[in-house]
Amino acid sequence: DAGVTQSPTHLIKTRGQQVTLRCSPISGHKSVSWYQQVLGQGPQFIFQYYEKEERGRGNFPDRFSARQFPNYSSELNVNALLLGDSALYLCASSSPFANEKLFFGSGTQLSVL
Amino acid sequence: AQKITQTQPGMFVQEKEAVTLDCTYDTSDQSYGLFWYKQPSSGEMIFLIYQGSYDEQNATEGRYSLNFQKARKSANLVISASQLGDSAMYFCAMREGNGGFKTIFGAGTRLFVKA
């Protein structure tokens, strides 16, 4: 079975641009979470979606938005990019039948110049 | 507010010895889950072990065990018989309870295993 897949792997953008990151969860998982990980720090929670509804939001500005599609895949959008948005963006899927253990994708490395 | 604290930025251990990575947490929930994840230099996050707040026995998964002290709100990870491949970042995490899905992470501990 395929694990969590994220695309693209790497992305370079300039300040002020917009970016869309994509994530496909493990088959059967209805929950998707997004995390931002700045180099040398722990992952910071951005969003959690379950059954296409937002169930949790971290302390991020409104420039960050996300959605989940009927097939449970998800997109994270970031508008008006800032230098400080440069980070590894991790997507994770989970199941209530596995204690909500997170299964992570390999991440998207976003660099904002 | 929920919080995870890992006070050891870096730890060294000799190969084949045991090492304990510290984690304390803060929550007002009665039901919650505690996790440890490993992040090698390649970047992927790997689940290691889980402890539920109502579990009376400490969790074990192969060479990993979780020393759960609920009254002290600590959830230390013990790695026995360290291997060179254990060199990585280790993150303690907590899933909020009462139907919540949010999982928060600590700042991590970088473990170096010496040959």
Side-chain angles (χ1 to χ4, degrees):
Chain A
D1 286 342
V4 176
T5 58
Q6 291 186 245
S7 63
T9 305
H10 295 85
L11 206 51
I12 299 175
K13 292 286 188 178
T14 57
R15 282 180 297 173
Q17 286 189 312
Q18 174 265 343
V19 68
T20 299
L21 310 181
R22 296 177 175 80
C23 172
S24 292
I26 288 173
S27 177
H29 285 190
K30 300 179 180 179
S31 173
V32 170
S33 299
W34 287 95
Y35 288 84
Q36 180 196 65
Q37 187 177 23
V38 174
L39 190 63
Q41 298 181 18
Q44 297 295 310
F45 175 77
I46 309 176
F47 284 110
Q48 197 270 343
Y49 276 78
Y50 179 73
E51 286 279 20
K52 297 164 294 245
E53 290 188 5
E54 181 183 306
R55 293 298 184 95
R57 183 185 182 115
N59 188 24
F60 280 81
D62 292 343
R63 299 185 295 107
F64 289 77
S65 63
R67 54 180 175 169
Q68 187 176 34
F69 299 98
N71 66 352
Y72 303 110
S73 67
S74 178
E75 286 182 352
L76 175 69
N77 294 286
V78 186
N79 293 323
L81 285 167
L82 303 174
L83 296 179
D85 295 332
S86 295
L88 179 66
Y89 288 83
L90 294 165
C91 173
S93 71
S94 59
S95 166
F97 302 107
N99 296 312
E100 295 295 341
K101 174 177 73 175
L102 296 174
F103 294 81
F104 284 88
S106 299
T108 295
Q109 185 66 54
L110 173 64
S111 298
V112 182
L113 305 179
Chain B
Q2 297 180 318
K3 187 178 179 180
I4 294 285
T5 302
Q6 294 181 255
T7 57
Q8 304 156 314
M11 288 282 289
F12 286 86
V13 64
Q14 196 68 37
E15 192 179 11
K16 301 182 183 178
E17 293 187 349
V19 63
T20 297
L21 306 184
D22 294 341
C23 172
T24 58
Y25 60 92
D26 189 20
T27 181
S28 57
D29 291 339
Q30 296 301 310
S31 174
Y32 50 89
L34 295 161
F35 303 81
W36 279 90
Y37 291 86
K38 172 184 178 181
Q39 189 176 41
S41 56
S42 56
E44 80 272 23
M45 295 281 280
I46 303 166
F47 165 80
L48 295 178
I49 196 166
Y50 165 81
Q51 179 87 39
S53 59
Y54 292 118
D55 295 340
E56 295 185 352
Q57 300 284 339
N58 285 341
T60 60
E61 291 278 355
R63 295 187 298 111
Y64 305 107
S65 61
L66 197 153
N67 185 0
F68 181 45
Q69 298 188 45
K70 194 171 183 177
R72 298 180 60 184
K73 293 188 175 180
S74 74
N76 297 339
L77 176 71
V78 180
I79 305 175
S80 62
S82 296
Q83 302 171 356
L84 295 178
D86 294 334
S87 294
M89 282 291 289
Y90 289 82
F91 293 98
C92 180
M94 177 171 61
R95 170 186 53 77
E96 61 183 12
N98 299 322
F101 299 95
K102 178 180 176 180
T103 299
I104 60 171
F105 286 76
T109 295
R110 182 167 292 281
L111 178 65
F112 299 91
V113 180
K114 300 181 291 184

